[in-house]
Amino acid sequence: EDLSAKNLLGSTRSKPGSSSNNGPSGPDGTYKGAANYQSFIQKNPDAPSKQFGPIKAPTNVRTITVMDYAPDVCKDWKQTGFCGFGDSCKFLHAREDYKQGWELDRDWEIGTNGKPLSGKVMSSRKGGNNKTENEEDDEDDEDELLESI
């Protein structure tokens, strides 16, 4: 057994600048380029692989999304169904109409000529027990109508 001072104290690192063992043993403070970057994090080989960032789309499926934020409709196409520009027209070739609420109300008034609808109410809201004689007669008519159906 060697009881010398060197063996009892152990070995030390080599001093920076000494040419012995100047390799991948550890960082010595000099930049060696991006190719010599090292990862000090040990990865688990059993962990599932995670994908980050954009994933390559399948080649057999092509999806196209068109967002029309200014739906300018071709006036000729809407009125006549024909546009001289054809497919090169910069306006939308659509003929559907979307009416506003006041237009629907106006059309309803024109269709009914302003008259209230005539007919019998077949059901009413619950809790309406305050009936007059007229309403009771209407209820009897309702029962007879339902029986005949």
Side-chain angles (χ1 to χ4, degrees), residues 14 28 32 81 84-85 92 97 106 127 129 131 140:
S14 61
D28 59 352
K32 297 178 183 171
F85 292 100
L92 180 67
D97 267 336
R106 183 194 63 199
N129 292 333
K131 296 183 180 178
D140 293 338

Side-chain angles (χ1 to χ4, degrees), residues 75-128:
K75 185 176 179 182
D76 293 338
W77 179 266
K78 188 172 182 177
Q79 290 177 350
T80 65
F82 176 76
C83 175
F85 292 100
D87 290 339
S88 64
C89 182
K90 74 173 199 170
F91 297 108
L92 180 67
H93 285 173
R95 297 181 74 179
E96 60 263 0
D97 267 336
Y98 299 103
K99 291 188 178 181
Q100 301 296 324
W102 64 271
E103 292 175 307
L104 292 171
D105 292 341
R106 183 194 63 199
D107 291 347
W108 179 263
E109 291 294 325
I110 291 171
T112 59
N113 294 327
K115 297 177 186 174
L117 293 177
S118 62
K120 294 183 180 179
V121 177
M122 297 304 287
S123 64
S124 62
R125 203 177 71 182
K126 288 183 180 177

